[in-house]
Amino acid sequence: MSEEPLDLAAHLAAVSTSATGAVATFTGQVRDHSPDAAGPVVRLEYSAHPDAAQALAQIAAEVVAAHDDVRVAVSHRTGVLDVGDVAILACAASSHRDLAFTVCRELVEQVKARLPVWKKQVLDDGSHTWVGSA
């Protein structure tokens, strides 16, 4: 969990070793629209439960425990994010690409389903909607 911009290079360094043959990454960016919004989105405001960082670490540990030969790094932003800002960054490394892709997707899906983070979508007319991530 971070209020600061997420650093792809740091995530790559955290998962890469001399045995790494593949690193799959996912970068989730703030977009200017949402299917549940009644107009253009101009920013998101993420808030998190006080235990969110611990929950994120637990999710990552569970994903790693379910697979051999894999390393992961994942972070989620909090605070105010403008269109184009990175909201979530996930990396999964393995000696082979298939496992790296599989684990990266699993990690992101678990974070989206379980992380206690909520987003306020602010629209161009000043109105807003709340969306719960978990």
Side-chain angles (χ1 to χ4, degrees), residues 2-7 77 86:
S2 174
E3 288 197 24
E4 299 301 319
L6 304 179
D7 183 353
R77 286 282 308 272
V86 176

Side-chain angles (χ1 to χ4, degrees), residues 74-94:
V74 61
S75 297
H76 199 292
R77 286 282 308 272
T78 57
V80 177
L81 283 75
D82 293 320
V83 171
D85 287 347
V86 176
I88 181 173
L89 185 56
C91 294
S94 181

Side-chain angles (χ1 to χ4, degrees), residues 11 14-15 56-57 59-64 67 70-74 90-93 100 103-104 107:
H11 284 70
V15 300
L56 188 62
I59 292 165
E62 290 173 10
V63 169
V64 168
H67 302 279
V70 68
R71 289 160 308 285
V72 302
V74 61
C91 294
V103 170
C104 188
L107 180 61

